[in-house]
Amino acid sequence: SLLENSDETGRILGDLQKLGISIVLDDFGSGYASIAYLGQFPVKKLKIEQSLTKKLTNNSDTRFISSLLAIAKSFHLMAIAKGVETQQQLEILQELGCERMQGNRISSPLAVGEMTKFLHIHRTRSVNSDQ
């Protein structure tokens, strides 16, 4: 329904962005998540469809995900690969230059208190590893 009046949608999303709300295009690379939206709406992040991530193996064709990462980079957007379940998928995505991932390989779903601890530990590690 947001696409029926894309001008109004763009204006509303722009207003939300001014309030500090980031717009994320989910399931990029499949279905309704079109590259045309990148020029129409103030998108800040792309979430790559998890079905694409699940197909990654050492002998799989990585051109599609590479292309999606290149599109994100050319639009100055953060790309997030969804559905990372295996070490192999994680390593392939890292080799392709994907810096953000989500899925059970990163962490299983956590309660709020556990998530707070997880974020604190991993934030501390990334800050210390930058030194």
Side-chain angles (χ1 to χ4, degrees):
S1 65
L2 292 175
L3 299 176
E4 289 177 12
N5 187 348
S6 61
D7 291 339
E8 179 69 7
T9 299
R11 186 190 64 71
I12 291 169
L13 293 177
D15 289 347
L16 290 172
Q17 185 179 26
K18 289 175 188 171
L19 294 172
I21 297 171
S22 294
I23 308 301
V24 178
L25 186 56
D26 199 20
D27 294 337
F28 193 70
S30 69
Y32 294 103
S34 168
I35 192 171
Y37 302 156
L38 301 180
Q40 277 185 294
F41 304 128
V43 176
K44 293 293 179 192
K45 301 174 186 175
L46 300 178
K47 285 192 168 188
I48 297 172
E49 167 59 36
Q50 68 182 350
S51 65
L52 301 172
T53 302
K54 290 182 185 276
K55 294 178 185 175
L56 289 177
T57 63
N58 281 336
N59 42 346
S60 66
D61 187 350
T62 59
R63 291 180 293 176
F64 196 73
I65 288 187
S66 272
S67 297
L68 296 177
L69 293 170
I71 289 168
K73 185 175 182 177
S74 70
F75 280 88
H76 306 288
L77 304 174
M78 177 188 295
I80 305 163
K82 293 173 33 177
V84 179
E85 304 293 328
T86 68
Q87 183 66 26
Q88 186 178 47
Q89 292 166 342
L90 183 130
E91 290 171 2
I92 292 169
L93 287 162
Q94 287 175 327
E95 288 173 19
L96 295 174
C98 185
E99 297 178 358
R100 308 279 185 198
M101 298 170 224
Q102 70 181 56
N104 285 332
R105 179 63 186 103
I106 310 304
S107 174
S108 57
L110 301 172
V112 173
E114 294 171 345
M115 178 55 96
T116 302
K117 290 177 192 172
F118 177 87
L119 291 174
H120 179 73
I121 290 167
H122 289 280
R123 179 174 177 259
T124 303
R125 281 186 191 160
S126 71
V127 168
N128 290 336
S129 66
D130 290 341
Q131 296 175 357

